[in-house]
Amino acid sequence: MSGAGISAESGLATFRTESEDALREFGDNPPLWSRFDPTELATADAYNRDPAMVSHWYDWRRQQGARATPNPGHHALTTLQRAMRERGDELTILTQNIDGLHQAAGSEGVVELHGSLWRWRCLSCGDEREDREVPFAGYPPRCGACGDGIRRPAIVWFGEVLPEDAIDAAGEAASTCDVFLSVGTSAVVYPAAGFAEVAKARGARVIEVNLEPTPISGVVDWSIRGKSGVVLPALVERALA
Ligand code: BV8
Ligand code: ZN
């Protein structure tokens, strides 16, 4: 299970990093919710109130995403997934991130619990398609299929249900895995934050990689303090040795 922290070393801001020493890592790119009010931006009400402003804010994040490339943390998981597959094992990557960096690193079968910043859905005709052109020509972006609808990002806002197939895949993975890795997430947003506890309850060994303690640090078997771009390559190297 990955969160915004795994993409921090790719230059993308996290949401709610708290601790002083973790914040020192983000001098020029402070966490988003320390600068913006999530209820004004990451809810369907906010979008319906001001679709131009909310779609502009998400396009600002898209433009940063367009410049971001996977970091050694993403690549380490791709290496692990390929090596495990050769041994007949499976690594399911669950992510709360909408940046698409796991897929850009070559990971397959990535489960996007909160949708994707690259897919936008028309409110009128429901047409949903990937759009990598940055920036948008105007805000909110218009639908090219029906011609008059406006598009919203195909992501999960607060108060919105997660995609059923993603929830099912995450539940299946968490309840059948031997090892559950929680990487770069503050573990406060549900239902995503609940999967580590599901894995633990089913007897999996749970490892957390984070710069700071989180609400699940007391539950996991190992809570490794450090940058995922440094810790994950080391972990994977040891695991495959
Ligand atoms: C829902 C939009 C059903 C996309 C986001 C119990 C059950 C169900 C729901 C709830 C519940 N309790 C409360 C709720 C409501 C809510 C919720 O959980 N609220 C929390 C805040 C209390 N949940 C929902 O609304 C969900 N919907 O459950 O629907 C329903 C429907 C109707 C009524 C009731 C229920 C929807 C959740 C999805 C919301 N969408 N954003 C976007 O804009 O990106 S949330 C936002 O937070 C992002 O999606 C993000 O993915 C998510 C989690 O954040 P993290 O990824 O963990 O990032 P964060 O910055 O917090 O932490 C980063 C961590 O990395 C830090 O700890 C830092 O130390 C670390 N780090 C930094 N750098 C590094 C690092 N670690 C390692 N290396 C580094 N280099
Ligand atoms: Zn349309």
Side-chain angles (χ1 to χ4, degrees):
M1 172 67 77
S2 68
I6 201 170
S7 296
E9 290 159 83
S10 298
L12 297 182
T14 61
F15 292 93
R16 50 181 75 83
T17 308
E18 304 291 335
S19 62
E20 279 311 309
D21 49 353
L23 282 171
R24 244 190 303 286
E25 296 286 337
F26 301 102
D28 56 350
N29 199 11
L32 293 173
W33 297 156
S34 67
R35 295 181 262 170
F36 303 99
D37 175 356
T39 58
E40 289 302 307
L41 289 163
T43 63
D45 290 346
Y47 183 86
N48 297 331
R49 264 197 312 274
D50 190 344
M53 186 273 288
V54 173
S55 55
H56 201 155
W57 186 70
Y58 275 96
D59 195 31
W60 169 69
R61 288 181 57 196
R62 270 174 91 245
Q63 292 172 56
Q64 291 178 316
R67 290 194 295 270
T69 53
N71 65 60
H74 297 105
H75 290 301
L77 293 181
T78 303
T79 303
L80 181 62
Q81 185 178 60
R82 289 175 179 160
M84 285 175 68
R85 197 161 282 174
E86 277 162 26
R87 302 178 182 181
D89 268 331
E90 190 52 47
L91 170 66
T92 304
I93 296 177
L94 311 175
T95 188
Q96 299 169 83
N97 299 339
I98 61 175
D99 55 34
L101 288 179
H102 284 297
Q103 296 92 321
S107 291
E108 294 177 351
V110 177
V111 178
E112 293 180 315
L113 288 162
H114 294 164
S116 168
L117 191 52
W118 304 110
R119 284 200 307 278
W120 288 63
R121 183 171 64 243
C122 173
L123 295 188
S124 301
C125 71
D127 175 75
E128 179 175 314
R129 63 181 65 184
E130 174 147 321
D131 182 334
R132 294 255 173 189
E133 284 297 306
V134 291
F136 282 133
Y139 304 103
R142 296 276 156 196
C143 175
C146 67
D148 58 13
I150 59 172
R151 287 187 184 275
R152 61 158 280 180
I155 62 176
V156 181
W157 276 321
F158 286 108
E160 293 189 322
V161 290
L162 278 62
E164 205 169 318
D165 56 342
I167 283 283
D168 293 346
E172 170 66 18
S175 51
T176 57
C177 65
D178 301 304
V179 179
F180 187 98
L181 261 171
S182 177
V183 181
T185 179
S186 57
V188 295
V189 173
Y190 282 82
F195 290 111
E197 292 145 45
V198 166
K200 184 72 190 153
R202 299 295 296 264
R205 310 303 290 273
V206 182
I207 303 170
E208 175 183 46
V209 177
N210 199 310
L211 291 178
E212 61 186 3
T214 72
I216 63 167
S217 296
V219 171
V220 301
D221 295 276
W222 294 277
S223 187
I224 301 173
R225 217 44 84 250
K227 286 181 167 183
S228 49
V230 174
V231 172
L232 287 181
L235 264 184
V236 169
E237 194 185 334
R238 296 271 295 272
L240 299 180

